[in-house]
Amino acid sequence: MVKKIILATGNQGKVRELREILGDNDIEILSLRDFSEIGEIVEDGSTFEENALKKAKTVAEAVGLTAVADDSGLEVDFLEGAPGVYSARFAGTGNNDLENNLKLLSLMKDVPDRQRTARFRCVIAVVTPSGETYTADGTCEGMIAREMSGDNGFGYDPLFFLPDYGKTFAQLEPEIKNRISHRGKALARIESVLAEVIERVEMEQCGLG
């Protein structure tokens, strides 16, 4: 039996990453692009966890499937943790990844290397149709580069430099990125819970629980 979950995002980059991390294990991953009637979910929480839980709960209630949502972003130490939960709209609502990156580069223009430390942070929430909730988090430490490099990834990946690899996130091979990324670490921490939850929900919906 093919099990279904819905990833509470329309970002195909995140959908692709989740598929790569979960691998081929009979789980069909849907996204908000498959349920246009849900509409935009306003991320008005003050933490990544609040936003992830809100998205997952909204979607699970709307479609009756186990929902997985993440909220993630970049925390720059020199900017006192900004852009944080505002990472996707750092340059203003409606702006794109390039504009967000250009704003960050401008703010960090004269900052010396030793003060360019940053991290990606991710919280993943899993919510079942009956309202059970689970969360896990993950971080990845790095530096803000002085120019964008690489074509893989999305968001701030071209600016997030990993000294141990000598590359930005956008230059890393997908299998390495998935292993060390904030999202990969968070998902690894919740993967066993997710598998158990999906199996149990499927059995309950088939009247076997």
Side-chain angles (χ1 to χ4, degrees):
M1 176 186 297
V2 176
K3 306 171 186 67
K4 293 183 179 181
I5 61 174
I6 176 168
L7 186 58
T9 182
N11 186 319
Q12 292 306 105
K14 290 184 179 181
V15 175
R16 183 175 62 253
E17 281 192 359
L18 183 60
R19 285 180 177 142
E20 290 171 349
I21 292 168
L22 287 178
D24 183 15
N25 54 4
D26 294 326
I27 297 177
E28 181 181 357
I29 301 174
L30 305 172
S31 76
L32 292 184
R33 291 193 176 189
D34 300 298
F35 298 91
S36 58
E37 68 275 11
I38 294 177
E40 181 182 2
I41 302 170
V42 178
E43 299 178 31
D44 53 4
S46 60
T47 65
F48 294 124
E49 183 172 351
E50 287 178 5
N51 284 333
L53 282 169
K54 179 179 180 179
K55 289 186 286 186
K57 287 177 180 178
T58 299
V59 172
E61 291 171 359
V63 303
L65 292 172
T66 297
V68 180
D70 89 301
D71 195 35
S72 56
L74 181 68
E75 298 176 338
V76 180
D77 292 324
F78 183 80
L79 301 179
E80 298 181 345
V85 294
Y86 303 104
S87 292
R89 51 192 187 277
F90 191 40
T93 303
N95 288 315
N96 58 28
D97 289 346
L98 176 59
E99 290 162 320
N100 287 334
N101 279 295
L102 290 175
K103 177 176 180 179
L104 180 59
L105 278 174
S106 177
L107 292 173
M108 300 291 288
K109 181 180 178 181
D110 299 318
V111 178
D113 290 347
R114 66 181 182 278
Q115 293 179 270
R116 301 178 76 89
T117 54
R119 72 202 48 80
F120 273 129
R121 185 180 301 278
C122 173
V123 174
I124 289 181
V126 176
V127 177
T128 70
S130 63
E132 297 175 63
T133 63
Y134 308 87
T135 62
D137 71 306
T139 60
C140 182
E141 300 288 334
M143 310 284 291
I144 302 302
R146 295 191 177 277
E147 61 182 21
M148 291 179 281
S149 301
D151 299 318
N152 299 323
F154 54 94
Y156 297 94
D157 287 358
L159 279 182
F160 191 72
F161 182 76
L162 298 157
D164 289 347
Y165 292 86
K167 296 179 179 181
T168 68
F169 249 20
Q171 294 174 310
L172 280 180
E173 295 78 7
E175 60 272 18
I176 296 176
K177 180 183 176 184
N178 290 339
R179 185 178 73 249
I180 69 171
S181 76
H182 51 308
R183 190 171 294 108
K185 291 176 181 176
L187 187 60
R189 288 173 179 154
I190 208 167
E191 187 174 5
S192 60
V193 172
L194 178 59
E196 188 275 330
V197 166
I198 292 170
E199 186 75 29
R200 178 160 44 79
V201 169
E202 288 288 331
M203 291 179 66
E204 290 172 354
Q205 291 179 339
C206 291
L208 301 175

